[in-house]
């Protein structure tokens, strides 16, 4: 049991604001608690003598409760919590609404509530919460119409209404819960606290949740990363689309942040993100009841060819693969199956298969060392008894200890068999794709548990020089920097081509002459950050053209914006683009997760192609390495079509060095190295732009 165990296993609960008034929240809570709770319920309400036959107390201090559920009007709610705190109550659920979700007066009230909770060290749920449940002590301290049945999932939700809907449905599906929490406004306890709690709770096997926002992304990653090494966490995070994010922020007032940050942050936290409620429960149920597969090879045993192909497609779309059988398995299938069957995966045992043939085939497949998991796929036939097949499936699953998903297709005919399967923790789906998704979740979680977290590398850098370069924006209206800040990268050990910024053609020539071969010349101006757009980059300039190129760049800048501040012209060594790949490495600060690193295919096409991947900084070496593998263009880096592979290790190191830079300096609000050219010989950052907040230096 975790630190919040007292919240979920109280002996005496005070309901402050208890009443019998029809239709009131205070009544609903009382009724639910009296119906369910094994301990004592103490109504507190100075304007009633008794509630449901129980004498009331005038104030919470007299209740001697270890949990107070607060349903009083918002104007007095903070005072009530203070009284509870003074009386030593350490667990409080504030049902009352009218706080941060309702404008500035409410926000101030919520601030007061937070201070009171801090003063008295109160573990506080809410405000604006439906309440909490814990089935082992029979506690339903919510005002919802449904109670949870006992189970081993714990469930948190930022929407109280969603809880009532889920419970209604889950009770029907035979899905039970250990604890249920309506997070409300998360003034004190938030998702990280409950993930931590349930991670420590022996009675919780799977943590699930519906979230609209994560307040402190970095704290969440840190907590969840530890918990998910053992306990699966499956979350629906809504607001995936811009429109959805907008809706979420008007619903709860949370700034949703970018979905890329959530995608990256949840991945780094080891959380399995579900795209829908169905996916959430499909994943949660298999994770609760099925063993983890040792390998990703799936065997499909089917009496129907068509659905066998469907499942093969679904496996192709997933991280799983079709298992290739050992010779002895193939021999066994040849012997057991009729000539028109298929001994290869998907194994077609043919429509006339009876229970015995099905059973034998399953036994053989489950016994194959190349098989990590099995899908039992069947259509109703005259010779097949679904009940018997279900019983055999359960028995063989237990015998081999490998995960099994069932796809007994059909309607009413399937129901009793599906129940037998469900009792043994084997989910049955009509759709083979859902069966595959379930097994996929198991495989993902196995990988999560096997992850070895590495601390980010700390490189030896020149922090002071970096600080000075960033400080150059102090006192300026425009705090953006371009290639004049290349030294920043150099200070953090990120390779940049030789070169300099000059403000006279003669100096440009001098720099060009000091560099072997032709050079690149670029206009340097805080007003022109997309230099190519105005013809402000000249690639392959021979020494004899440096003068003209210089004049031309200046006049282009003047034509573009007559009053542009022009720092000068950068003369830079050419990087070999023929053998190189232009990549982008960047950072954007996310309101919830902080520095969000981006890696992708770079150059001037980056916006159109959107071949990018994200991670929350700081990243470790394996995380940076994973980024270089995740983009569509990854094969390009590794030498596709006879090209020499680029220096991927150099890219990985650059990502890590940038990660360190943006972690060291919160003053860097955003930064792009585009392109970082990766050649077989190394990497070069040929362009940079960033925005600085000098107040944070
Ligand atoms: P901007 O992004 O402001 O247009 P860049 O400095 O990124 O300016 O230059 C635009 C493009 O010019 C790069 O994507 C790259 O293709 C090419 N380029 C820039 N600098 C070099 C260089 N030193 N060597 C080779 N090509 C370069
Ligand atoms: Mg660029």
């Amino acid at each position: 049991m975790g630190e919040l165990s007292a919240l979920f296993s109280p002996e005496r609960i005070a309901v402050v604001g208890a009443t019998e008034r029809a239709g009131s929240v205070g009544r609903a809570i009382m009724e639910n608690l009296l119906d369910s709770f094994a301990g004592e319920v103490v109504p507190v309400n100075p304007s009633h003598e008794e509630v449901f036959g129980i004498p009331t107390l005038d104030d919470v201090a007299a209740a001697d409760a270890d949990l107070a559920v607060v349903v009083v009007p918002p104007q007095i709610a903070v005072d009530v919590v203070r009284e509870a705190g003074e009386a030593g109550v350490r667990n409080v659920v504030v049902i009352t609404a009218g706080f941060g979700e309702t404008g500035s007066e409410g926000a101030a009230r919520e601030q007061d509530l937070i201070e009171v909770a801090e003063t008295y060290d109160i573990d506080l749920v809410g405000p604006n919460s439906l309440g909490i449940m814990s089935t082992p002590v029979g506690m339903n301290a919510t005002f919802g119409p449904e109670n949870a049945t006992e189970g081993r999932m714990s469930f948190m939700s930022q929407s109280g209404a969603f809880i009532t809907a889920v419970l209604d449905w889950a009770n029907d599906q035979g899905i039970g819960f250990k604890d249920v929490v309506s997070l409300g406004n998360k003034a004190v306890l938030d998702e990280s606290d409950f993930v931590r709690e349930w991670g420590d709770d022996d009675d919780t096997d799977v943590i699930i949740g519906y979230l609209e926002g994560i307040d402190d992304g970095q704290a969440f990653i840190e907590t969840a990363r530890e918990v998910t090494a053992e306990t699966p966490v499956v979350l629906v995070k809504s607001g995936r689309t811009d429109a959805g994010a907008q809706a979420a922020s008007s619903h709860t007032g949370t700034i949703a942040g970018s979905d890329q940050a959530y995608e990256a942050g949840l991945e780094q936290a080891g959380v399995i993100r579900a795209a829908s409620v169905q996916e959430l429960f499909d994943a949660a149920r298999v994770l609760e009841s099925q063993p983890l597969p040792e390998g990703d090879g799936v065997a499909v045993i089917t009496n129907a060819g068509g659905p066998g192909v469907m499942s093969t497609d679904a496996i192709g779309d997933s991280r799983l693969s079709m298992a290739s059988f050992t010779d002895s398995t193939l021999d066994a299938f040849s012997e057991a199956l009729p000539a028109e069957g298929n001994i290869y995966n998907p194994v077609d045992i043919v429509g006339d298969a009876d229970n015995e043939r099905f059973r034998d085939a399953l036994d053989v497949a489950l016994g194959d060392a190349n098989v990590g998991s099995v899908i039992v796929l069947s259509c109703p036939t005259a010779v097949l008894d679904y009940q018997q097949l279900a019983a055999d499936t359960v028995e063989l699953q237990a015998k081999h200890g490998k995960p099994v998903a069932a796809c007994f297709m059909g309607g009413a005919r399937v129901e009793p068999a599906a129940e037998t399967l469900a009792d043994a923790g084997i989910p049955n789906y009509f759709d083979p794709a859902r069966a595959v998704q379930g097994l996929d979740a198991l495989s993902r979680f196995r990988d999560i548990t096997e992850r070895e977290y590495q601390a980010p590398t700390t490189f030896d850098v020149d922090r002071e020089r970096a600080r000075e370069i960033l400080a150059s924006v102090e006192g300026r209206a425009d705090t953006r920097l371009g290639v004049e800040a290349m030294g920043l990268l150099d200070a953090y050990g990120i390779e940049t081509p030789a070169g300099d910024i000059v403000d006279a053609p003669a100096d440009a020539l001098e720099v060009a002459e000091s560099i072997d071969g032709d050079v690149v010349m670029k206009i340097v101006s805080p007003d022109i950050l997309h230099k190519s757009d105005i013809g402000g980059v000249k690639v392959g300039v021979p020494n004899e053209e440096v003068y003209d190129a210089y004049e031309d760049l200046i006049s282009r800048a003047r034509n573009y914006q007559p009053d542009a501040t022009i720092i000068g012209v950068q003369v830079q060594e050419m990087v070999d683009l023929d053998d190189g790949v232009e990549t982008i490495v960047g950072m954007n600060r996310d309101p919830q997760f902080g520095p969000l690193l981006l890696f992708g295919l770079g150059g001037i096409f980056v916006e159109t192609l959107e071949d990018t991947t994200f991670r929350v900084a700081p990243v470790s070496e394996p995380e940076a390495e994973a980024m270089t593998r995740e983009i569509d263009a990854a094969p390009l880096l590794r030498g596709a079509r006879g090209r020499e592979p680029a220096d991927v290790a150099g890219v990985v190191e650059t990502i890590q060095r940038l990660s360190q830079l943006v972690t060291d300096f919160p003053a860097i609000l955003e930064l792009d190295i585009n392109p970082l050219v990766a050649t077989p010989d190394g990497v070069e950052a040929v362009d940079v732009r960033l925005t600085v907040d000098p107040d944070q230096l």
Side-chain angles (χ1 to χ4, degrees), residues 674-675 687 689:
N674 183 22
D687 187 23
R689 57 176 151 263

Side-chain angles (χ1 to χ4, degrees), residues 292-328:
L292 299 181
E294 261 168 44
D296 286 337
V298 184
V300 178
I301 310 294
T302 179
N303 68 349
V309 180
M310 288 184 216
S311 61
T312 307
D313 273 344
I315 288 168
D317 286 340
S318 75
R319 58 184 292 142
L320 307 169
S321 56
M322 295 296 282
S324 51
F325 299 130
T326 61
D327 289 344
S328 67

Side-chain angles (χ1 to χ4, degrees), residues 78 98-100 102-115:
V78 178
F99 287 81
T102 58
S104 62
E105 197 183 322
R109 188 176 290 139
E110 188 155 317
Q111 206 46 51
D112 293 345
L113 188 66
I114 292 169
E115 274 162 33

Side-chain angles (χ1 to χ4, degrees), residues 180-199:
V180 177
V181 172
S182 160
L183 294 167
N185 294 2
K186 305 190 288 192
V188 178
L189 295 177
D190 67 12
E191 55 282 338
S192 296
D193 297 298
F194 291 105
V195 166
R196 153 83 52 235
E197 166 64 20
W198 291 327

